[in-house]
Amino acid sequence: MARILRYADERDRRRKDQVNQFSEFSISAGLKKQLTAANFITPTPVQAQAIPPALEGRDVLATAQTGTGKTLSFLIPLIERMPKAKGCSALILLPTRELAMQVEQHYRKLTGNYNSIALVVGGMAEGPQLQAIRNGARIIVATPGRLEDYLERRLVNLSGVKMLVLDEVDRMLDMGFKPSIRRIAAALPKERQTMCYSATLSEQIKEVVRDYLRNPARIEIGSVLKPCENVELQTFEVPTDKKQELLEHLLGQSKGSFLVFVRTKHGADRVARRLKRSGHTATQIHGDRSQSQRNAALKSFAQGGHRVLVATDVAARGIDVAHVAHVVNYDMPREAEDFVHRIGRTGRNSAKGVASTFAAPDERTLLRKMEKTLAITTKHFRVRANQVAQTA
């Protein structure tokens, strides 16, 4: 009870002392200049609350939805507190290659330094990764599988790590990386700062907290199981064989980019192929596509070369695109958490967004259960005979 009260007191104190601009943080003039140059002026709530204790060297446990600015909230303390000597002193673990690559890009944007960071991920050539490590990279951004492989082959030394970040830890556990995280943590010094970021706080996450964090500053931004209020939610009760037609109808009626979630790799290929045949600029991302294909698809979608990106859940976990106008759950998500993660790709940074869910007749029970779990109300439409009608 005392520990919970301490967390509450700290949250109240941080609310009163919360900074309104990055320039108010106790960081170097050089980093403030880089933030301004990158057009980072006003911190998001998770940044405002997590950065001060992290700068003090505290362990941090932060739960916040996707798109709330978690990456900057740990990169700023890492950059500020990282020793200048060569050799790895900071490690960031993430679930996917795409997310790791985006963190690396953010780091380089903030520092202008291309030589002090090593990207360690699967699906890409080992040579440049190992060369960056041998050249004395001070920070490693990695997925657990590839880093564990390097550890087993004694190609990387983590004995100098002073700071560990576990980002999207809930998804890393979902993907089966718990044993890898445990073995990697065993190779690190026990005396270190650990920052843990997650969209949820399940029993598995609490176990990670008990194992790796010490008296962490607790940051909680909004409900971890509730969609962003900036997103308009709508549900279409539609036969499975009419989903493609409905998707194309929405594309014709709406403006902006579409991120379409499907359940399988084959389904992603099929939906994207049909959209292309209908004249839409669409591409797809899933686990069977090569890393270069995935990179090209993400880049084209982010830059507007493709209006539609069709994705599976695991592949989409690392997507960080600033302006997604419309998320479509072409296939119903299996879990309420997946629903929150999916629609969290729109309505980011106070922007407005729309999320549409396609529910086949045999999925009505699953839909009602999900709405009850998340305590949400969506606009309901029924599709029949080429007509879309709103229901009560």
Side-chain angles (χ1 to χ4, degrees):
M1 177 62 74
R3 190 176 184 184
I4 293 173
L5 288 174
R6 182 163 64 249
Y7 287 160
D9 291 343
E10 289 174 354
R11 283 198 295 269
D12 290 340
R13 173 175 58 80
R14 281 195 293 273
R15 287 191 191 102
K16 294 174 184 176
D17 301 336
Q18 188 166 306
V19 301
N20 296 313
Q21 293 191 329
F22 282 105
S23 60
E24 298 176 33
F25 285 123
S26 298
I27 55 179
S28 67
L31 183 51
K32 288 180 181 179
K33 185 177 179 181
Q34 289 291 116
L35 286 164
T36 301
N39 202 32
F40 291 120
I41 308 299
T42 304
T44 65
V46 69
Q47 292 162 357
Q49 293 186 36
I51 290 174
L55 287 171
E56 295 171 3
R58 292 278 310 275
D59 284 4
V60 171
L61 169 61
T63 47
Q65 296 174 20
T66 298
T68 52
K70 290 181 285 182
T71 300
L72 216 59
S73 74
F74 61 74
L75 276 182
I76 288 175
L78 256 62
I79 293 169
E80 188 68 15
R81 303 189 68 246
M82 197 161 41
K84 302 301 180 185
K86 284 190 174 184
C88 179
S89 59
L91 170 64
I92 303 174
L93 286 180
L94 312 105
T96 68
R97 287 169 287 191
E98 287 77 19
L99 194 55
M101 292 166 68
Q102 287 162 9
V103 169
E104 179 201 30
Q105 291 164 6
H106 272 82
Y107 174 82
R108 290 180 170 177
K109 188 176 182 179
L110 285 179
T111 64
N113 193 325
Y114 288 76
N115 300 315
S116 63
I117 187 167
L119 180 68
V120 175
V121 297
M124 300 177 69
E126 289 187 359
Q129 300 180 22
L130 294 173
Q131 189 61 49
I133 293 170
R134 285 193 288 266
N135 288 344
R138 293 186 291 136
I139 180 171
I140 291 177
V141 182
T143 49
R146 176 58 66 92
L147 182 61
E148 186 182 19
D149 175 50
Y150 285 1
L151 275 173
E152 290 174 351
R153 293 156 59 192
R154 300 188 178 181
L155 298 174
V156 62
N157 181 359
L158 301 178
S159 62
V161 169
K162 302 289 192 299
M163 291 167 283
L164 168 66
V165 175
L166 300 172
D167 191 20
E168 304 274 10
V169 67
D170 49 337
R171 183 56 61 173
M172 284 197 284
L173 297 181
D174 288 345
M175 295 169 67
F177 283 132
K178 184 177 181 180
S180 296
I181 294 171
R182 184 173 62 248
R183 287 188 284 267
I184 291 168
L188 305 178
K190 291 186 178 179
E191 292 297 320
R192 65 173 188 269
Q193 179 184 16
T194 302
M195 290 171 270
C196 180
Y197 292 79
S198 175
T200 62
L201 192 59
S202 64
E203 286 304 315
Q204 273 196 314
I205 306 297
K206 292 177 182 177
E207 186 178 333
V208 168
V209 173
R210 288 192 295 267
D211 289 345
Y212 305 128
L213 279 73
R214 294 177 301 178
N215 188 29
R218 176 74 174 95
I219 313 300
E220 185 176 355
I221 305 301
S223 170
V224 297
L225 253 189
K226 190 171 183 179
C228 176
E229 294 181 356
N230 297 331
V231 180
E232 178 185 345
L233 303 176
Q234 54 189 26
T235 299
F236 295 88
E237 297 180 15
V238 54
T240 301
D241 62 356
K242 293 292 184 181
K243 287 185 176 183
Q244 186 79 26
E245 186 178 335
L246 175 59
L247 174 58
E248 294 185 26
H249 171 78
L250 293 178
L251 283 164
Q253 294 294 312
S254 307
K255 296 180 179 180
S257 58
F258 273 60
L259 177 54
V260 180
F261 285 98
V262 296
R263 193 166 292 157
T264 67
K265 303 167 188 176
H266 175 68
D269 286 333
R270 184 181 65 251
V271 171
R273 187 168 56 246
R274 289 177 177 174
L275 288 174
K276 291 172 190 175
R277 283 203 299 261
S278 298
H280 299 283
T281 54
T283 186
Q284 68 267 40
I285 179 172
H286 55 68
D288 280 352
R289 302 206 85 193
S290 69
Q291 188 61 43
S292 61
Q293 288 175 319
R294 292 163 74 169
N295 292 347
L298 279 173
K299 184 177 181 180
S300 180
F301 181 63
Q303 295 179 349
H306 287 91
R307 185 188 178 197
V308 186
L309 179 64
V310 186
T312 55
D313 282 305
V314 172
R317 185 62 177 189
I319 293 175
D320 186 11
V321 177
H323 305 292
V324 176
H326 204 131
V327 167
V328 174
N329 293 309
Y330 190 93
D331 293 325
M332 281 277 294
R334 292 187 175 89
E335 304 292 340
E337 290 179 8
D338 290 330
F339 180 86
V340 174
H341 287 312
R342 286 180 177 190
I343 69 171
R345 303 297 163 181
T346 187
R348 306 181 76 162
N349 299 321
S350 300
K352 297 292 184 181
V354 179
S356 298
T357 298
F358 295 178
D362 60 352
E363 293 175 320
R364 288 176 185 169
T365 301
L366 176 61
L367 174 64
R368 298 290 187 267
K369 181 180 178 182
M370 188 173 63
E371 289 178 332
K372 184 177 180 181
T373 299
L374 297 174
I376 59 174
T377 302
T378 73
K379 290 182 181 178
H380 277 252
F381 299 87
R382 183 170 294 123
V383 179
R384 57 171 65 156
N386 297 322
Q387 291 184 340
V388 179
Q390 185 169 355
T391 62

